[in-house]
Amino acid sequence: MIESVHFKYFRALRDVSMTLTPLTVLVGPNSSGKTSVLAGLNPRFSVSSRVASHNVPIIPPSDYWKQNPTDEFGIQWQYGGNRSGRLSRRPGFTIGHKTQPLTLDLQELRSENVLAYANSLSPTGGNLTNVFSTLTRQQQASVANELCRLVPMFSDVDLIPTQSGKHQLRFQDRWNADLWLTPSQVSDGTMLILAFLVLQYQPDPADLITIEEPERALHPYLLDELIQLIRKMTTGEIGKKPVQFVLATHSAELLEYVRPEEVRFLTRAPEDGSVQVNEAPTGSTNWQQVYKEYRESLGSIWLSGNVGGVPGR
């Protein structure tokens, strides 16, 4: 797993170092750099953006090259075991991990799929039907049982052919076995939870999964269940191997289910707009007192503005 990452002139990340844990949660206001961090952790994104050339989504000062003609910029990460990887403007950079970036789109999750093998969920989730279809029957049953436990309005999840070689998901009503609902007839939260549940069964799992705003449309109870699911994946308790996660969120409620040492508070410096990353000083006596005063509510501490990442504070 990646232990630390250093961004240098990558988008708004001018010179930012950040440690990572098996589960890391980025929290901050809009345009605070969370999406840039997620993008920088994806080697495929960086390569497709031509990081080895001058034409890259990296914004140095206008006179930077004149002052530092031999300097390099880019992204560097440190793995456990002192292994490192680098993406930079110079040729010969290395890629050391496989990232699965997820910015799930509700309309895409509900779409019909042309029948095809799919070993991993696409960034928007548009191939969810095919991913579910690719699972073994036992895995499909496990996903269906878990979904029905979390969303007890249903008793089963299945696939049905539609037309022109396409198929779609369907959901059996709990109280009427003859009633099957299409994806357009079920809630947003149901579709999101189903997508998260299939991640543990992907035949070719990534080393790192990044998720943008996982809290959307989820009841607080389901946020707790989601974090528990992710924790089991980070330890290898479920899935083929341990997988690292980085989440970006605006949700104070989601913070109630994570540990202070897992959170990175992002904000922009008022002087020059550079991104700043703060960690909770969990080892200090002052933090322990504040944590106790706020009844161990990390979301409340964040909203107070004392750790950064709140607009206007």
Side-chain angles (χ1 to χ4, degrees):
M1 293 192 178
I2 301 174
E3 292 183 340
S4 65
V5 61
H6 179 210
F7 302 92
K8 190 173 183 182
Y9 294 114
F10 183 76
R11 294 184 169 183
L13 308 173
R14 298 183 185 179
D15 193 359
V16 175
S17 293
M18 181 184 303
T19 61
L20 300 179
T21 54
L23 167 60
T24 305
V25 179
L26 312 177
V27 63
N30 294 326
S31 299
S32 60
K34 300 187 300 297
T35 300
S36 293
V37 172
L38 298 188
L41 290 170
N42 182 6
R44 182 176 299 177
F45 170 91
S46 301
V47 172
S48 67
S49 300
R50 293 182 291 175
V51 171
S53 75
H54 288 195
N55 186 15
V56 292
I58 298 173
I59 309 172
S62 59
D63 61 346
Y64 183 80
W65 290 113
K66 295 179 182 179
Q67 298 176 8
N68 305 275
T70 61
D71 197 9
E72 71 176 85
F73 60 84
I75 304 163
Q76 183 173 11
W77 48 81
Q78 186 72 37
Y79 302 99
N82 296 320
R83 222 165 39 90
S84 64
R86 176 184 292 276
L87 292 177
S88 73
R89 70 177 176 87
R90 297 180 177 179
F93 55 78
T94 61
I95 297 175
H97 64 276
K98 176 184 176 183
T99 301
Q100 182 177 13
L102 296 178
T103 306
L104 299 177
D105 181 283
L106 290 163
Q107 184 175 352
E108 291 287 313
L109 289 173
R110 290 184 164 97
S111 63
E112 296 180 358
N113 288 177
V114 175
L115 183 60
Y117 178 84
N119 62 3
S120 63
L121 195 64
S122 65
T124 61
N127 65 345
L128 175 60
T129 301
N130 279 338
V131 173
F132 185 81
S133 175
T134 301
L135 303 182
T136 66
R137 294 174 66 179
Q138 184 177 2
Q139 290 171 339
Q140 289 179 359
S142 296
V143 169
N145 290 337
E146 189 65 6
L147 177 75
C148 295
R149 180 184 72 84
L150 297 174
V151 189
M153 291 72 178
F154 307 109
S155 57
D156 198 8
V157 182
D158 198 3
L159 294 157
I160 186 172
T162 54
Q163 57 184 352
S164 303
K166 294 183 179 181
H167 60 164
Q168 73 174 185
L169 294 160
R170 62 175 185 168
F171 303 79
Q172 187 179 38
D173 183 81
R174 174 185 174 182
W175 297 278
N176 184 352
D178 296 325
L179 177 60
W180 289 85
L181 304 175
T182 66
S184 64
Q185 295 173 316
V186 303
S187 69
D188 294 348
T190 298
M191 297 306 304
L192 288 167
I193 283 294
L194 179 61
F196 293 138
L197 287 172
V198 304
L199 293 177
Q200 62 189 298
Y201 296 112
Q202 294 180 122
D204 184 23
D207 301 302
L208 169 68
I209 297 177
T210 66
I211 307 178
E212 185 97 32
E213 298 183 16
E215 73 276 3
R216 288 178 306 149
L218 295 185
H219 188 277
Y221 168 78
L222 293 181
L223 287 179
D224 186 15
E225 292 285 341
L226 173 61
I227 296 300
Q228 291 185 46
L229 171 70
I230 289 174
R231 286 201 189 285
K232 291 178 180 179
M233 292 184 67
T234 64
T235 62
E237 182 178 344
I238 58 176
K240 287 190 173 182
K241 66 177 185 180
V243 177
Q244 191 170 18
F245 278 79
V246 178
L247 315 180
T249 183
H250 296 120
S251 172
E253 288 183 330
L254 186 143
L255 295 183
E256 301 301 326
Y257 305 108
V258 300
R259 300 163 187 158
E261 60 271 19
E262 296 171 331
V263 181
R264 304 293 176 265
F265 303 95
L266 276 66
T267 189
R268 301 289 288 271
E271 301 80 15
D272 58 5
S274 60
V275 174
Q276 298 178 337
V277 179
N278 297 313
E279 297 183 23
T282 54
S284 71
T285 302
N286 182 60
W287 167 264
Q288 295 170 6
Q289 292 175 346
V290 170
Y291 197 48
K292 184 177 180 180
E293 289 176 3
Y294 278 88
R295 300 181 181 179
E296 300 187 354
S297 172
L298 192 57
S300 297
I301 295 175
W302 173 56
L303 291 177
S304 72
N306 292 324
V307 289
V310 177
R313 297 188 184 181

